[in-house]
Amino acid sequence: MAKILILFAHPALEKSRVHKRLIRPVKQLENVSLHDLYQVYPEMDIDIAYEQKLLLQHDIIIMQHPFYWYSAPAIIKQWQDLVLEHGWAYGSGGTALTDKKIMNAISCGGSKEVYNREGRNRYTITELLVPFEQTAHLCHLQYLPPFVVHGTHKLKDPDIELYAVQYEEMLIGLANDRITAAEWQQVSYMNDLNLIPKILQS
Ligand SMILES: Cc1cc2nc3c(=O)[nH]c(=O)nc-3n(C[C@H](O)[C@H](O)[C@H](O)COP(=O)(O)O)c2cc1C
């Protein structure tokens, strides 16, 4: 089994509809650790040695966060800036993370339609996530497609439920090595994998 570390960042969890629901079952899942960065580091004073130890103990890292200004909440950047050290994660002798996997699990106010050349946001989510992808590449990690919840402002509770089931199935699939590289390399979003039985979707 693969060990999954969720680096969770939501600066206003009390107002959240999507992420509050997505993380609900996570604590019960075998081999999945939820690490709530804003809860652990309210002053953003990240413990680098502890974070590096956590990374070494896991195989798959998921940065789970709302999409804020086409990127992540600030603590994710702080985490990257401090934890991914030269000589440890990249650069000469920096091979600590080699062959681990990493991905983003995000929610966006915007619909999928507005994230393309003709849409209001002009770029696809895949394009906007390139800094994460390239950071992964430099640190010798495999970057998986993101899990994306679109159009959050218009989602009704049953829609969020469906995404939550999809997310849970993805976590179970990844932990059990049931999602192969051949499969995820063919999709833009992890959601596009056939994660839940059709019967649940109707
Ligand atoms: C500071 C801020 C920046 C945001 N930036 C974006 C953005 O760039 N693109 C987008 O689609 N939605 C954006 N949103 C909307 C959030 O992504 C959306 O409210 C969130 O994903 C909903 O998840 P939640 O219910 O867990 O809070 C932004 C919201 C806030 C508060």
Side-chain angles (χ1 to χ4, degrees):
M1 275 187 97
K3 288 192 164 182
I4 300 178
L5 174 65
I6 299 182
L7 294 177
F8 180 66
H10 198 308
L13 193 54
E14 68 287 353
K15 291 188 201 155
S16 162
R17 290 177 69 218
V18 176
H19 289 276
K20 201 187 271 174
R21 177 65 188 88
L22 292 192
I23 61 170
R24 201 197 293 160
V26 161
K27 281 192 190 120
Q28 273 90 59
L29 294 182
E30 207 184 339
N31 276 11
V32 181
S33 325
L34 181 69
H35 185 37
D36 184 341
L37 292 174
Y38 277 109
Q39 188 184 56
V40 178
Y41 304 116
E43 307 295 333
M44 300 230 282
D45 51 347
I46 297 206
D47 181 340
I48 299 171
Y50 178 70
E51 294 300 315
Q52 291 181 342
K53 197 174 93 186
L54 268 187
L55 288 176
L56 294 179
Q57 289 167 351
H58 293 83
D59 308 295
I60 304 173
I61 320 302
I62 300 181
M63 292 173 280
Q64 183 185 334
H65 57 89
F67 207 41
Y68 276 6
W69 291 115
Y70 307 105
S71 185
I75 204 163
I76 292 278
K77 184 65 167 52
Q78 175 86 335
W79 181 94
Q80 289 176 317
D81 294 352
L82 297 178
V83 178
L84 302 177
E85 286 183 316
H86 182 269
W88 188 80
Y90 72 101
S92 177
T95 55
L97 302 175
T98 299
D99 290 338
K100 293 183 189 290
K101 298 184 180 78
I102 193 162
M103 61 176 281
N104 296 77
I106 63 173
S107 59
C108 314
S111 65
K112 194 166 186 181
E113 290 67 43
V114 300
Y115 281 98
N116 70 46
R117 210 57 76 239
E118 289 74 41
R120 192 176 61 234
N121 289 326
R122 301 195 300 145
Y123 298 94
T124 64
I125 291 289
T126 305
E127 288 167 337
L128 293 164
L129 290 175
V130 160
F132 290 97
E133 187 205 342
Q134 176 53 25
T135 302
H137 180 72
L138 191 73
C139 296
H140 318 286
L141 290 143
Q142 290 183 61
Y143 186 75
L144 271 53
F147 180 91
V148 187
V149 178
H150 272 297
T152 57
H153 306 306
K154 292 189 181 150
L155 288 180
K156 305 227 172 9
D157 288 345
D159 304 321
I160 296 176
E161 280 301 311
L162 198 55
Y163 275 115
V165 175
Q166 231 182 9
Y167 191 53
E168 187 176 351
E169 289 300 314
M170 182 199 75
L171 292 172
I172 294 168
L174 286 172
N176 289 285
D177 296 317
R178 269 200 273 111
I179 302 175
T180 65
E183 287 173 309
W184 59 255
Q185 278 164 358
Q186 279 177 31
V187 295
S188 307
Y189 291 174
M190 291 299 265
N191 322 41
D192 296 338
L193 295 168
N194 201 9
L195 293 167
I196 42 179
K198 286 272 176 291
I199 189 132
L200 282 177
Q201 298 177 37
S202 56

